[in-house]
Amino acid sequence: MSGTGLTYHVYDVNHMTPAEIYGQVLTQLGEGREDIVALTADLARSTKIGKFGERFPGRFFNVGIAEQNMFGIAAGLALAGFTPFVSTFAVFAALRAAEQVRTDICYQNLNCKIIATHSGISFGQAGSTHHCTEDLAVMRSFANLTVIAPADGYETANAVRACLDRQGPVYIRIGRGFEQTVHPGEDYGFELGRAVTMRDGADLTVIACGPCVLHAVEAAKTLADSQGAGVRVLNMHTIKPLDREAVLAAAAETRRIITVENHSIIGGLGSAVAEVIAESGLPCRLVRLGIPDVFAIVGYTDDLYNLYKIDAAGIGEAAAQLLGVQVQAEDDWEDEL
Amino acid sequence: MGLTDSQVATLKLKAQQIRRKTIETVVWAGGGHLGGALSQVEIMVLLYYHFLNIDPKRPDWADRDRVVLSKGHGGIGYAPLLADRGYFSEGLLEEFNHTGSPFGMHLDRLKVPGVDASTGSLGHGLPMAVGMALGARLKGAAWRTYCILGDGECNEGSVWEAAMAAAHFRLDTLTALIDRNGLCIDGTTEAIMALEPLADKWRAFGWEVTAVDGHDFRELAGAIEAARRSTGRPTAIIARTVKGKGVDFMEDQAAWHYGGLDSERAALALQSIDRRSDTAGPGRRAP
Ligand SMILES: Cc1ncc(C[n+]2csc(CCOP(=O)(O)OP(=O)(O)O)c2C)c(N)n1
């Protein structure tokens, strides 16, 4: 699995949120690695990084409500030879402190790991000041930065471990609360930059990240049962570097792609996939599901998933429509693959 | 020209009503930022029922005094007050936090009448308030600008950038009220990121500074009156308060920064508020 050799479970995925699992895994990693330090900005409890702080108070820094300062301090610790893990809400990591992340951390290619919680619309009732549907767009544009959106708690554990093996800055975005599990366990072959094929199919591909992976799998099952459609589902946990091969194969083999994300349709997973398809010249229909170009309304997260059509029902609806669209039968591009 | 006894009695009653309504709203909302919503009550009540030059029938009236609740998570205590003041119907509060409701935890200026700036990300309010005060000067308008900050919020660098600018531009129509309840989320402000000596910091940035009991209407009113007389400098009022004020099991407890209330707990909270009609007791001692 990962070079840390820590593959045994230290958490209970059925009763823990991805953030709680993160806190636990980080604490476990801290046992063997004196270079790991952790920082937060008055969100030790909310982001669960406080777990590490309880175990290693000497290597834990709560800087108060001062995110820009926090990322600067993290950069300094990295320059001093440490491996900082930094946690706050996604909106404050990716937007409030965007320039510190870009210039202090990414520009200097520092070994700093950002684990951002409450991403997307997972904090639905808090409103737009706390939603973050722009982080993938912003973070994806920072050179040197690896960007990951794990699908569930197991994948969060895998991503947190894997990011330690990857020299350089990493951004991992997780949600606020309990998200259902989509993977059967930790050992499904997680690899940074490699999409996980959750289901195979030849009629259409749904490329999803984060909690939308589960919804995509459910939608695919329903479509298979109700209309015998072969829907491939790719869990694109790594947004950057994107698994171009998986996208190209899906474009060539299924010619219909739907992207689904808990993020604006501008700049995130959908845009990344669109770039690959457009540059390939492959004839492929693409539908991007996500938050349209609006500030999402206030509401229960499940309701918002439904409203913005990024739940199983919304994906199913978009897929049924796209399956009805004729795609070009020309096969002369096939040898380009 | 202090407050009369009857004015104080009326304000105390109002504070109690707002506290009650805040508890009820948290129940409808399924949870909320109780601690800070309860500590800010006397500050907000005194502004809205005594000092502000506003007209709830005309929330967009150009010359109204401006209020920026920079500690935007206090929204669940602010909305009941705006309703009571007549900006919108109180019944709407029952929808707080519900899908499609105009009210989320942090109030949205475009959806909630009476809100002058959308806040919730800490450290944004004072810069906007500086802009509003500059705007009043440019227009030759008479409105005053009040900004309510959390003490933990004062960790943010942007607060101090704005503080520097306000003094530099001599914004004497700007008043910052700091809800000095001594707690942020993870613990006491002094344990997490020490602020003291806080008054000296504001003074060093060029502000007039007074520290008062933030639950004592007379002390607060005296400080606001002094701010209105001040020329050439903005005023910072450090209002010493108790987080969770009025509900005995929440007082001074970091854990009640945010919380939910089942019906039993809500009833206990309401009883506590009713028992202490004299909620405007002493604020916290200086940390
Ligand atoms: C920029 C930013 N960082 C973090 C948060 C999350 N947060 C919400 S309230 C809070 C603590 C605020 O403490 P304080 O300002 O003292 O307010 P009060 O105690 O009056 O509630 C934090 C960290 C936020 N809203 N904005």
Side-chain angles (χ1 to χ4, degrees):
Chain A
M1 296 270 336
S2 93
T4 55
L6 300 164
T7 53
Y8 52 90
H9 295 194
V10 287
Y11 51 85
D12 168 8
V13 82
N14 293 316
H15 298 101
M16 288 171 78
T17 66
E20 283 168 335
I21 291 169
Y22 153 57
Q24 196 114 324
V25 170
L26 179 62
T27 306
Q28 187 202 14
L29 292 173
E31 301 287 352
R33 295 271 305 249
E34 294 283 321
D35 60 308
I36 295 180
V37 293
L39 296 94
T40 190
D42 196 29
L43 291 172
R45 291 174 216 210
S46 318
T47 65
K48 310 303 175 201
I49 197 172
K51 191 105 195 144
F52 180 95
E54 285 163 22
R55 178 73 185 82
F56 306 109
R59 289 193 263 150
F60 176 74
F61 304 99
N62 193 332
V63 303
I65 310 167
E67 296 77 11
Q68 292 163 274
N69 188 34
M70 171 169 68
F71 282 97
I73 293 173
L77 280 161
L79 285 167
F82 291 91
T83 305
F85 277 72
V86 190
S87 283
T88 180
F89 295 169
V91 68
F92 308 132
L95 302 181
R96 180 57 156 274
E99 200 205 346
Q100 276 78 10
V101 171
R102 171 194 173 270
T103 303
D104 303 345
I105 293 171
C106 295
Y107 174 43
Q108 304 193 79
N109 201 16
L110 297 178
N111 199 24
C112 182
K113 317 301 176 189
I114 303 163
I115 287 70
T117 65
H118 296 61
S119 66
I121 47 173
S122 65
F123 202 1
Q125 295 172 313
S128 294
T129 57
H130 285 62
H131 296 164
C132 189
T133 55
E134 304 88 354
D135 57 335
L136 294 178
V138 172
M139 298 316 243
R140 197 165 74 84
S141 69
F142 291 177
N144 292 336
L145 187 62
T146 298
V147 181
I148 309 172
D152 64 6
Y154 287 124
E155 198 154 272
T156 300
N158 279 329
V160 169
R161 287 176 183 143
C163 81
L164 198 54
D165 299 335
R166 190 175 182 90
Q167 189 64 28
V170 177
Y171 177 81
I172 301 177
R173 61 130 52 182
I174 56 182
R176 176 193 191 213
F178 188 77
E179 270 132 23
Q180 279 177 290
T181 302
V182 62
H183 291 295
E186 232 180 85
D187 301 322
Y188 53 87
F190 176 88
E191 213 185 310
L192 277 182
R194 280 261 158 269
V196 181
T197 304
M198 308 298 294
R199 277 176 78 93
D200 208 355
D203 299 321
L204 179 148
T205 302
V206 180
I207 305 181
C209 65
C212 295
V213 174
L214 176 68
H215 300 307
V217 169
E218 281 175 356
K221 274 189 204 146
T222 308
L223 285 162
D225 294 347
S226 66
Q227 28 177 301
V231 177
R232 181 180 303 181
V233 177
L234 297 180
N235 165 14
M236 195 63 82
H237 49 70
T238 308
I239 310 299
K240 197 176 95 172
L242 194 75
D243 187 347
R244 300 173 61 89
E245 276 168 40
V247 175
L248 291 173
E253 291 158 21
T254 71
R255 287 181 238 160
R256 299 177 184 88
I257 293 181
I258 295 175
T259 59
V260 203
E261 61 200 306
N262 167 15
H263 185 274
S264 167
I265 56 163
I266 299 176
L269 173 67
S271 295
V273 167
E275 290 158 13
V276 172
I277 297 172
E279 286 182 347
S280 74
L282 293 176
C284 174
R285 301 287 301 222
L286 172 70
V287 173
R288 289 170 302 152
L289 298 181
I291 316 304
D293 187 17
V294 296
F295 286 100
I297 64 165
V298 162
Y300 303 109
T301 298
D302 288 349
D303 288 349
L304 298 186
Y305 268 68
N306 189 262
L307 175 72
Y308 295 116
K309 298 187 184 295
I310 55 175
D311 63 353
I315 298 167
E317 194 184 306
Q321 237 172 42
L322 193 55
L323 283 166
V325 172
Q326 280 305 313
V327 288
Q328 195 179 317
E330 282 280 353
D331 272 353
D332 57 5
W333 38 264
E334 209 143 49
D335 47 29
E336 286 177 32
L337 283 179
Chain B
M1 209 195 57
L3 299 173
T4 65
D5 287 351
S6 100
Q7 280 174 320
V8 171
T10 309
L11 290 166
K12 280 187 178 180
L13 195 61
K14 193 49 80 180
Q16 191 180 15
Q17 287 168 1
I18 299 300
R19 283 199 167 85
R20 288 191 117 261
K21 208 74 206 171
T22 300
I23 298 297
E24 289 172 8
T25 307
V26 168
V27 172
W28 292 320
H33 293 90
L34 282 156
L38 292 171
S39 63
Q40 75 197 14
V41 171
E42 276 76 20
I43 298 170
M44 300 301 280
V45 164
L46 185 61
L47 286 175
Y48 274 89
Y49 296 86
H50 186 72
F51 280 109
L52 292 184
N53 188 24
I54 48 173
D55 178 2
K57 295 279 157 302
R58 292 182 296 153
D60 296 329
W61 174 41
D63 287 329
R64 70 191 183 280
D65 282 343
R66 302 302 202 272
V67 175
V68 180
L69 182 64
S70 191
K71 43 169 284 190
H73 58 280
I76 203 154
Y78 189 18
L81 181 149
L82 290 172
D84 186 72
R85 203 63 182 76
Y87 282 96
F88 47 83
S89 126
E90 210 170 80
L92 283 174
L93 295 173
E94 295 181 28
E95 300 288 303
F96 206 98
N97 268 1
H98 297 197
T99 301
S101 156
F103 308 97
M105 292 172 198
H106 309 91
L107 302 183
D108 177 342
R109 181 182 76 86
L110 300 177
K111 292 185 180 154
V112 184
V115 174
D116 287 323
S118 300
T119 54
S121 181
L122 297 168
H124 289 234
L126 194 59
M128 288 193 275
V130 167
M132 290 174 181
L134 275 174
R137 177 188 293 162
L138 278 173
K139 289 194 161 171
W143 82 65
R144 300 191 60 87
T145 305
Y146 297 91
C147 180
I148 299 91
L149 295 122
D151 49 2
E153 183 182 9
C154 294
N155 292 160
E156 289 284 3
S158 54
V159 170
W160 300 100
E161 294 171 32
M164 201 178 327
H168 179 81
F169 294 129
R170 301 177 189 285
L171 296 177
D172 50 20
T173 61
L174 173 64
T175 304
L177 295 121
I178 296 131
D179 184 352
R180 184 76 174 109
N181 59 34
L183 292 172
C184 45
I185 296 184
D186 286 336
T188 68
T189 58
E190 297 319 281
I192 299 299
M193 184 52 60
L195 292 163
E196 292 300 329
L198 187 59
D200 290 347
K201 287 191 172 82
W202 285 95
R203 222 168 264 128
F205 273 73
W207 289 55
E208 291 290 341
V209 182
T210 37
V212 298
D213 182 329
H215 299 303
D216 184 317
F217 283 114
R218 282 210 166 86
E219 283 196 23
L220 271 173
I224 294 175
E225 274 160 15
R228 291 160 71 96
R229 287 191 302 267
S230 158
T231 54
R233 286 166 185 273
T235 298
I237 299 171
I238 299 177
R240 290 187 303 268
T241 57
V242 175
K243 203 157 175 170
K245 180 72 176 178
V247 178
D248 39 23
F249 60 90
M250 292 182 195
E251 287 194 353
D252 217 10
Q253 302 293 316
W256 279 101
H257 172 79
Y258 180 92
L261 293 168
D262 56 22
S263 51
E264 209 175 305
R265 278 283 178 85
L268 283 174
L270 291 174
Q271 278 168 26
S272 179
I273 290 168
D274 290 346
R275 233 183 359 259
R276 299 185 31 194
S277 53
D278 185 31
T279 333
R284 127 193 300 274
R285 285 175 302 280

